[in-house]
Amino acid sequence: MSFRDLGLSDDVIRGVQAMGYVEPTPIQLRAFPVILGGKDLIGSAQTGTGKTAAFALPILTKLGRHGACRCLVLEPTRELAAQVDTAFRDYARYTDLRISVIHGGVGYGKQRQEVKDGLDVVVATPGRLLDHLGEGTLSLKQTNILVLDEVDRMLDMGFLPDVRRIIEQVPKERQTLFFSATLPPEIEGLTKWVLRNPEIIEIGVRRSAAETVTHALYPVARDQKFDLLLALLERTNFDSALIFSRTKHGADKIAGRLKVAQHSVAVLHSNRTQRERVEALEGFKSGKYEVMVATDIAARGIDVAGVSHVINYDVPQHPEDYVHRIGRTGRAQNVGDAFTLVTAEELDAVRAIERFVGQKIPRLKVDNFNYVYTALFNEEGIAPGGVGKGARTHRGYSFGRRRR
Ligand code: AMP
């Protein structure tokens, strides 16, 4: 099935072709008819499945020509909002539709001006959007397509009250598209309030970690965590590594120490200015930085093609975060590796992850690393040098980094 057969407008198809997409992804195939048919939708899908185009292409087709502000897309983070805005603009390049992004961390002036000049689609984060609604710059009275994206992350970030206040300002006569990788009870309540007879599409829900990712745990004493990270980086032939830290302070500290060890490092977390965040992400994407240290929230959903390795410096507290984090690698069928450093205190969190993904994750040791003893080594199944099923051994890697 090609994009031509799915009811998209010619101008939108030209935009898609310019992006080099050849055929629709599974979620696109299933979402297009629902959205074009005017129905509400719950999509349980993650980024990486082609989710953005799944809603953007039929929305642009429905909007047709420039008019009033008829579509609002809510995103949990600035980075995601910017990414979705860019995708919309790319797909709309052969139309006269106007798309803009509204998020915090930057001035109000440009946003006010763009709203004044006239927009068809607004992609926004909740806080700044409420500011504009409060000051009357923007009205949602003509909005008849509402997209709530990454709703589970909005919940995690405490945005649901803001989201509710925003939805109250959108006319009830509308089409609502709702995307969330998971549907905890709080979110199910919201779906009942915002959606009418929704179609449910579950695609690419990777309860288990992406199949293309080989993942492994590296037990280590707490005092040796950073040294083991260095050893892993040094012995792994990586193109680009995304390192997750549980806290912002931790991320800064890891980055500082990696710099001392001569790595080129970017840092991404919510205490950094918008300018710093954009610079970090752009630098990481372009290869200026070979390593990026990030907190979960900042890195959620970010599309960085070609992340070859994800390293969890801390074990994620929520099992879903493990799946999200390692979903950054192994995108679009590239094989990636996900390493998780584990200390004895984190064993319960590891067990929760293993229950969630329904498999035991191999424990590996790095060859020739001067380990101090930790009780974790009494656990069964630790493979010295790494012979765990599904994980390549560190002997298998060529030594030294591939520098770009
Ligand atoms: P998303 O799930 O929206 O984050 O998209 C993940 C990546 O897939 C993005 O880099 C998109 O540009 C890309 N993509 C989306 N749809 C297609 C398609 N039909 N063919 C090839 N790539 C696509």
Side-chain angles (χ1 to χ4, degrees), residues 82-234:
Q83 193 171 299
V84 169
D85 171 60
T86 304
F88 261 93
R89 285 169 190 258
D90 283 338
Y91 305 140
R93 72 179 81 174
Y94 296 109
T95 73
D96 65 351
L97 293 166
R98 298 193 198 154
I99 297 113
S100 193
V101 65
I102 286 184
H103 60 57
V106 293
Y108 285 76
K110 183 164 166 269
Q111 296 175 355
R112 285 193 192 108
Q113 192 57 45
E114 284 179 341
V115 173
K116 209 166 135 222
D117 291 345
L119 289 172
D120 300 281
V121 179
V122 172
V123 183
T125 52
R128 178 61 66 93
L129 183 72
L130 279 171
D131 288 351
H132 282 288
L133 291 171
E135 70 175 27
T137 327
L138 176 70
S139 152
L140 298 176
K141 286 208 173 69
Q142 307 218 50
T143 300
N144 53 22
I145 304 177
L146 172 67
V147 181
L148 303 174
D149 196 18
E150 304 265 343
V151 182
D152 47 356
R153 186 52 41 152
M154 302 232 216
L155 169 75
D156 289 350
M157 296 174 72
F159 285 158
L160 286 197
D162 282 355
V163 170
R164 283 177 181 270
R165 284 172 58 206
I166 292 166
I167 297 172
E168 276 163 5
Q169 302 199 37
V170 181
K172 286 208 170 54
E173 278 307 310
R174 59 160 194 260
Q175 182 177 22
T176 308
L177 313 175
F178 193 102
F179 294 91
S180 191
T182 55
L183 289 178
E186 298 91 326
I187 290 184
E188 281 203 69
L190 184 68
T191 61
K192 293 199 179 89
W193 180 57
V194 294
L195 294 156
R196 275 196 296 191
N197 298 327
E199 292 269 339
I200 298 173
I201 300 181
E202 275 186 74
I203 280 199
V205 184
R206 287 173 304 196
R207 196 180 161 75
S208 61
E211 278 168 18
T212 47
V213 177
T214 49
H215 43 143
L217 301 176
Y218 287 83
V220 65
R222 196 163 51 177
D223 291 348
Q224 282 196 309
K225 245 188 178 181
F226 186 76
D227 293 335
L228 188 70
L229 172 69
L230 275 186
L232 277 168
L233 289 175
E234 242 127 58

Side-chain angles (χ1 to χ4, degrees), residues 3 21 23-25 28 46-53 303 331:
F3 283 102
Y21 300 173
E23 53 182 33
T25 66
Q28 290 163 7
Q46 297 189 331
T47 45
T49 53
K51 176 170 60 111
T52 313
D303 181 23
R331 291 168 80 91

Side-chain angles (χ1 to χ4, degrees), residues 238-241 263-266 279-292 304-306 402-404:
F238 70 92
D239 284 333
S240 56
H263 286 278
S264 59
V265 188
E279 202 275 330
L281 198 55
E282 292 302 317
F284 186 57
K285 281 185 179 173
S286 71
K288 177 177 169 196
Y289 303 113
E290 56 182 5
V291 176
M292 181 159 80
V304 191
R402 197 188 312 158
R403 295 214 178 260
R404 282 179 293 195

Side-chain angles (χ1 to χ4, degrees), residues 245-353:
S245 155
R246 194 165 46 81
T247 63
K248 299 167 199 171
H249 176 65
D252 285 334
K253 224 166 109 184
I254 297 164
R257 293 180 71 182
L258 285 174
K259 275 182 203 150
V260 173
Q262 305 295 314
H263 286 278
S264 59
V265 188
V267 192
L268 190 71
H269 61 63
S270 56
N271 276 5
R272 308 205 75 209
T273 65
Q274 184 61 15
R275 190 190 296 266
E276 287 169 336
R277 285 157 69 159
V278 169
E279 202 275 330
L281 198 55
E282 292 302 317
F284 186 57
K285 281 185 179 173
S286 71
K288 177 177 169 196
Y289 303 113
E290 56 182 5
V291 176
M292 181 159 80
V293 189
T295 54
D296 270 314
I297 284 177
R300 166 81 180 216
I302 284 173
D303 181 23
V304 191
V307 172
S308 66
H309 290 76
V310 165
I311 302 181
N312 293 314
Y313 193 79
D314 305 299
V315 177
Q317 295 296 301
H318 304 290
E320 306 87 56
D321 285 335
Y322 180 79
V323 177
H324 286 309
R325 286 186 189 182
I326 71 171
R328 303 295 104 234
T329 183
R331 291 168 80 91
Q333 309 308 313
N334 291 326
V335 173
D337 287 287
F339 305 148
T340 301
L341 308 190
V342 185
T343 62
E345 300 79 25
E346 295 172 309
L347 204 54
D348 284 346
V350 165
R351 296 208 174 107
I353 290 167

Side-chain angles (χ1 to χ4, degrees), residues 48-91:
T49 53
K51 176 170 60 111
T52 313
F55 61 79
L57 302 178
I59 287 174
L60 292 169
T61 295
K62 291 184 80 163
L63 294 176
R65 297 198 63 89
H66 175 55
C69 179
R70 287 157 292 160
C71 173
L72 169 65
V73 183
L74 283 181
E75 295 288 341
T77 65
R78 298 169 190 174
E79 283 77 11
L80 267 172
Q83 193 171 299
V84 169
D85 171 60
T86 304
F88 261 93
R89 285 169 190 258
D90 283 338
Y91 305 140

